[in-house]
Amino acid sequence: MNILVTGGAGFIGSHLVRTLQAAGEQVTVLDNFSTGLLANLPAATKVIEMDVNSPELATVFDAGHFDAVVHLAGQTTVHISMENPSLDGEENVIGSIHVLEQARRHGVQRVIFASTAASYGDVAEDRLPIVESEPLAPMSFYGLSKVTVEHYLHLYQQAFGLGYVVLRFANVYGERQGDGGEGGVISIFAKRLAEGKGLTIYGDGQQTRDFIYAGDVAAGIHAALTTEHVNHTYNLSTQSETSLNELVEILGKVAGRTICPTYQAARPGDIYKSLLANGRARRSLGWEPRVGLQEGLRRTYEYFCHQQAHAE
């Protein structure tokens, strides 16, 4: 399969590219390198430096003859979306429309879209774990931008026959993660621990997340590229809830030290509890998460320790 991965030099993209290449797929990465890094990718990867809002995007599709597009490019940080909604709209909504328009004009068979748990908003505890049919009520412009693109995908399919799969990610973490994004708390914490610094929790620490390892997300995306159950939405999650206080405790075990975090006021737009059901993805994609939290945290912490050692 000939696949274009937008935002492929980013954190999740770097895991996906390795998964696709290992499966023998032909991969082209398109990235503007605003947050992605060339060093994140294997040396032989075909890379095009371009923004999805570039007028030259059509030339990439003209030459590429892609069977499928995995659309990961976009602004991924909640607090940035609250500070600058127009940037979020430009990068996530308008950029996505450009990708969809080129995909339908050039006969792409399927678009895999990276959506988010933030689409659901702050769901009542008695509604957890959240299933895909839960009404969408985003609390941030980031979540709203993802929901908007989901609607565009549905209408593009109805109007033009463009196949799609929407994947709503839980909080993704792992090696090569930057300080932004929804799962960024783990990368921030792991990096600070590797540097011998303290940790700060925004809120009371009882807020929970469904943390999923990036390698498991990459496997889910690969499954979405080949599934017969297309034009649907799937959660990719562990269906396991972890509080930030519990996260710090597990990180302490991984790092071999006792951690006493400081606490500051919660930030606007942050969801208090998040837990996604993954039964639909297990049934229809033949997928399941395989890397437990402690093992994933060990890999992530060791990566940042390695980075810190090279920086010194």
Side-chain angles (χ1 to χ4, degrees), residues 31-301:
D31 203 296
N32 67 2
F33 294 102
S34 59
T35 56
L37 298 170
L38 189 60
N40 283 344
L41 296 169
T45 304
K46 181 179 179 180
V47 179
I48 299 169
E49 183 173 356
M50 186 180 293
D51 192 280
V52 292
N53 280 316
S54 169
E56 299 300 313
L57 186 64
T59 64
V60 174
F61 280 82
D62 284 338
H65 306 290
F66 304 114
D67 301 307
V69 174
V70 180
H71 183 39
L72 302 175
Q75 196 290 115
T76 63
T77 306
V78 168
H79 73 86
I80 288 177
S81 81
M82 301 302 288
E83 294 164 3
N84 193 348
S86 62
L87 172 69
D88 211 67
E90 184 70 24
E91 294 196 3
N92 291 1
V93 179
I94 302 302
S96 296
I97 294 170
H98 288 155
V99 171
L100 295 182
E101 186 62 7
Q102 294 306 324
R104 72 103 169 177
R105 287 179 179 273
H106 289 85
V108 170
Q109 297 301 303
R110 185 175 303 184
V111 174
I112 311 301
F113 177 60
S115 192
T116 171
S119 298
Y120 297 112
D122 207 353
V123 176
E125 287 189 48
D126 62 3
R127 304 283 295 175
L128 302 179
I130 303 168
V131 296
E132 290 85 350
S133 58
E134 179 72 25
L136 304 180
M139 296 172 58
S140 65
F141 294 107
Y142 168 69
L144 179 60
S145 72
K146 293 293 189 176
V147 170
T148 302
V149 177
E150 289 189 24
H151 287 304
Y152 268 91
L153 280 160
H154 180 67
L155 190 52
Y156 261 79
Q157 196 283 320
Q158 287 187 323
F160 308 121
L162 178 63
Y164 73 88
V165 175
V166 170
L167 299 175
R168 294 182 185 142
F169 301 155
N171 293 78
V172 189
Y173 73 95
E175 305 95 318
R176 298 180 294 279
Q177 186 172 22
D179 292 345
E182 297 172 86
V185 63
I186 286 181
S187 67
I188 293 168
F189 283 3
K191 184 177 181 181
R192 289 187 67 83
L193 285 176
E195 295 171 348
K197 298 177 180 177
L199 306 184
T200 299
I201 291 175
Y202 292 92
D204 60 11
Q206 295 303 315
Q207 62 267 51
T208 64
R209 295 292 182 267
D210 185 334
F211 293 110
I212 183 167
Y213 181 64
D216 284 334
V217 168
I221 295 171
H222 190 211
L225 283 163
T226 57
T227 183
E228 295 178 357
H229 304 284
V230 72
N231 305 327
H232 293 294
T233 298
Y234 302 94
N235 292 334
L236 292 188
S237 70
T238 64
Q239 200 170 314
S240 178
E241 199 173 9
T242 304
S243 74
L244 294 191
N245 287 334
E246 290 169 333
L247 175 66
V248 168
E249 183 179 350
I250 298 169
L251 270 171
K253 292 178 182 177
V254 168
R257 54 186 278 199
T258 301
I259 303 169
C260 298
T262 59
Y263 294 83
Q264 292 188 13
R267 295 178 295 196
D270 279 350
I271 294 167
Y272 193 67
K273 287 185 178 288
S274 182
L275 176 64
L276 303 187
N278 62 18
R280 182 186 286 183
R282 287 175 180 267
R283 292 187 301 270
S284 296
L285 300 183
W287 167 91
E288 63 180 5
R290 297 186 179 277
V291 179
L293 183 57
Q294 186 160 333
E295 170 60 19
L297 290 177
R298 182 191 65 78
R299 297 182 190 182
T300 306
Y301 175 67

